Amino acid sequence: MQAKLHLDTDFHSGEIDPRIFSGFAEHLGRCIYEGIYDPGSPLADGEGFRIDVLEAIAKLRMPLMRYPGGNFVSAYDWVDGVGARSERPRRLDYAWRSVESNQFGTDEFMRWCAKLGTEAMMAINLGTKGSAEAGALLEYCNLPAGTYWADRRVANGSPEPYKVKTWCLGNEMDGPWQAGHVPAEVYAQRADQAAKLMRGLDRSIELIACGSSGRGMATYLNYDRVTLEYCWNDIHYVSAHRYSENHRNDTGWFLAEGVEIERVIEDYAGLFDYVRGLKRSNKRIYLSFDEWNVWYKAKEMDGNWTEAPHLIEEVYNLEDALVCAQYLNAFIRRADVVKIACIAQVVNVIAPLLTTKDGLLVQSTFYPFALMAEHAQGRSLRTVLESPTYKAGERGETPVLDVSASIKEDGTLAVFIVNRSQTDAANLTVSIADVKATAIGDVKQLSGTDPKAANTWEQPNLLGLVPGTASVTGNGDITVTIPALGFVALTAATAKR
Ligand code: AHR
């Protein structure tokens, strides 16, 4: 199969925000306890943090880590998680019907982020609590010593403020499953009150309002519109969430997910422009796609009131990894709209990593993320793709390839390609109008013949990265082969034509 990708370094959709490669860690199942914090493990450091998990997540280069939820945050009292561990209360967690020991809280999370080299992205409880508690948490995190909550932080061992810049105004408040779920009109008022109070305390912070928890919601885009209209002056981003599924077990249909992901981004781009027009405003609001992943196989959500239960520990296969690569391709292509995106989540819970007390399993989805986070830098190039198509069920004619491309200041080009064909390799020619490729840098691929193949504890290296095949032609184009059911990331040096 032959395909062609046309690029021009002057045709771009802006700088790629590195924060599209961010993560999410929730008090859910074994994400925090036994994933991030596991003092009983031989692999934990002196603070109880899993060293192997820290090292693996570091390879994903995540600039932000969203915390502490998710649904968990909407009934969480952050005060329970600070101070002497022996005095922290054990609480019922209503979201996941689990017991929360509170042995890991805000200060532990900040120390873990510092070790990882990432910044915290904090979510506040706008379900069962409100602006007063949010203001107290902001004071605890960001204000200098001298007042009650800032002094509590100092007393708890952190003299310097944490300077958390990015704050989520609640979580999925459109969802009836959410503690404190309310209609958009009520949420908008709650969010705006919290936003005004928080920005009054710290003008440097940026705020993300809840949008829709999925495109299937009856209130999709309307919840977002009402919130956006009400909070326009005080927020910076609207949040979108999406989890992909293949219940019908149709690989061709599933691999067309990229088309749907892009539709969601387009929907939001249209909404932002619409409200901007209504407001006669010059302000730009951006999308924070702060929960995304494949999630449909592991749906155990009842912790039966135990600590760190095994909940939603999805096992990821090859087709899942190809869908994850398409999420990232879409975020890169729409660098003009998407500024933050968080894979949900980072360890054990719908995550690229699974742990046992003394082991770590790297899942298929880890690999495209690691490669793209490493290489997708600089400008996002507009892609004009000539690709054969295939019938993806009711999703219709779909290009066999899904691509994104970026170029750095130093001329390093990166191209990321998913081949949706289950049978045919693709030979792609990449032609850049104004520059020629001079040398291939790194070419790596993930592929296989079985879309359901997955790494397991018994076969942990069934799926992994191997060198790919690419070369520079006489006229400075690039040719690259993408195996069937494959993902390729390549870099190349370029020079002006
Ligand atoms: O990531 C798992 C859950 O999915 C989150 O808690 C919630 O926000 C979403 O519904």
Side-chain angles (χ1 to χ4, degrees):
M1 181 206 331
Q2 305 298 323
K4 191 150 192 189
L5 174 63
H6 303 272
L7 304 173
D8 184 317
T9 66
D10 287 326
F11 296 163
H12 60 88
S13 46
E15 290 287 314
I16 297 166
D17 194 316
R19 296 176 302 167
I20 64 170
F21 298 107
S22 294
F24 171 38
E26 177 170 5
H27 285 250
L28 193 184
R30 298 190 313 123
C31 178
I32 300 296
Y33 304 106
E34 297 188 14
I36 285 173
Y37 176 71
D38 195 9
S41 165
L43 299 172
D45 67 11
E47 293 192 273
F49 301 147
R50 283 284 292 254
I51 298 167
D52 53 342
V53 172
L54 272 169
E55 287 174 353
I57 299 179
K59 291 185 185 144
L60 299 178
R61 300 160 191 264
M62 294 174 162
L64 289 180
M65 191 66 65
R66 183 168 175 256
Y67 173 86
N71 296 342
F72 172 79
V73 78
S74 296
Y76 176 55
D77 186 347
W78 69 269
V79 178
D80 290 343
V82 296
R85 278 207 170 106
S86 57
E87 287 167 28
R88 296 187 197 174
R90 286 165 57 77
R91 297 269 191 211
L92 297 174
D93 159 25
Y94 302 104
W96 306 105
R97 290 173 50 87
S98 305
V99 169
E100 171 56 53
S101 69
N102 281 307
Q103 293 303 292
F104 187 100
T106 302
D107 295 303
E108 287 78 23
F109 178 64
M110 297 298 169
R111 284 202 291 278
W112 183 76
C113 285
K115 280 194 174 171
L116 183 61
T118 191
E119 275 182 37
M121 167 175 170
M122 296 294 282
I124 61 166
N125 175 352
L126 283 188
T128 59
K129 300 214 175 272
S131 51
E133 292 84 358
L137 176 59
L138 179 66
E139 179 189 330
Y140 188 88
C141 289
N142 282 16
L143 270 67
T147 52
Y148 180 78
W149 287 110
D151 286 346
R152 286 275 297 261
R153 179 196 68 240
V154 177
N156 291 336
S158 300
E160 293 307 316
Y162 295 126
K163 296 187 182 153
V164 177
K165 180 160 186 202
T166 317
W167 293 80
C168 304
L169 299 171
N171 176 71
E172 293 188 350
M173 294 302 295
D174 65 322
W177 58 84
Q178 199 72 211
H181 154 70
V182 278
E185 291 75 11
V186 181
Y187 168 68
Q189 291 187 9
R190 264 188 216 173
D192 202 55
Q193 285 162 358
K196 286 193 163 70
L197 188 140
M198 291 171 78
R199 298 250 303 151
L201 288 177
D202 182 352
R203 198 73 198 157
S204 71
I205 61 172
E206 291 192 337
L207 299 175
I208 303 166
C210 289
S212 292
S213 51
R215 197 152 174 249
M217 300 297 292
T219 51
Y220 178 62
L221 288 190
N222 211 34
Y223 205 95
D224 314 65
R225 179 191 58 76
V226 170
T227 301
L228 202 46
E229 283 193 40
Y230 198 87
C231 302
W232 181 265
N233 289 331
D234 295 300
I235 62 167
H236 303 81
Y237 310 89
V238 170
S239 152
H241 293 176
R242 180 181 178 83
Y243 290 102
S244 301
E245 53 82 15
N246 189 13
H247 282 300
R248 64 184 71 193
N249 194 19
D250 179 344
T251 296
W253 173 88
F254 185 48
L255 288 178
E257 263 293 289
V259 177
E260 302 296 317
I261 296 160
E262 181 123 7
R263 275 288 294 279
V264 172
I265 301 171
E266 280 172 13
D267 290 346
Y268 277 95
L271 175 67
F272 296 162
D273 283 349
Y274 170 67
V275 178
R276 187 169 181 256
L278 289 182
K279 298 273 176 192
R280 283 89 167 157
S281 170
N282 287 328
K283 180 173 177 173
R284 290 275 175 202
I285 296 280
Y286 296 102
L287 190 58
S288 173
F289 217 122
D290 44 41
E291 285 186 35
W292 67 266
N293 209 335
V294 173
W295 175 22
Y296 68 104
K297 301 176 216 100
K299 281 289 187 176
E300 179 51 74
M301 293 191 249
D302 185 344
N304 289 310
W305 307 115
T306 59
E307 276 185 57
H310 285 251
L311 298 182
I312 57 175
E313 302 203 358
E314 188 97 355
V315 172
Y316 288 110
N317 58 32
L318 177 60
E319 65 180 20
D320 298 333
L322 298 179
V323 167
C324 286
Q326 292 179 58
Y327 271 97
L328 295 171
N329 269 346
F331 301 154
I332 293 168
R333 282 194 301 266
R334 294 311 307 263
D336 54 328
V337 180
V338 187
K339 300 294 175 189
I340 298 173
C342 307
I343 187 170
Q345 299 188 7
V346 288
V347 58
N348 285 334
V349 170
I350 41 174
L353 301 168
L354 290 171
T355 64
T356 57
K357 204 66 192 147
D358 55 5
L360 181 76
L361 182 70
V362 177
Q363 301 221 63
S364 60
T365 51
F366 183 92
Y367 296 106
F369 194 111
L371 281 178
M372 295 167 94
E374 180 180 358
H375 294 305
Q377 294 174 33
R379 288 173 170 182
S380 163
L381 297 184
R382 292 197 187 274
T383 54
V384 177
L385 179 67
E386 291 176 57
S387 166
T389 59
Y390 75 106
K391 285 201 185 346
E394 89 260 12
R395 288 179 170 171
E397 286 296 325
T398 302
V400 176
L401 299 186
D402 180 76
V403 300
S404 70
S406 63
I407 193 150
K408 292 204 289 188
E409 281 268 315
D410 69 1
T412 306
L413 175 78
V415 186
F416 310 99
I417 316 128
V418 173
N419 182 358
R420 295 173 166 127
S421 170
Q422 296 176 60
T423 50
D424 297 338
N427 295 314
L428 176 71
T429 302
V430 182
S431 178
I432 319 129
D434 56 334
V435 301
K436 57 184 179 208
T438 53
I440 299 293
D442 193 23
V443 195
K444 292 213 176 68
Q445 67 187 43
L446 175 77
S447 69
T449 50
D450 177 5
K452 307 295 182 191
N455 290 344
T456 58
W457 292 102
E458 294 70 39
Q459 282 190 291
N461 300 314
L462 194 65
L463 295 172
L465 296 177
V466 295
T469 312
S471 56
V472 176
T473 66
N475 65 353
D477 289 350
I478 297 167
T479 57
V480 52
T481 303
I482 309 100
L485 289 173
F487 165 76
V488 171
L490 79 84
T491 64
T494 64
K496 278 280 167 209
R497 282 195 188 273

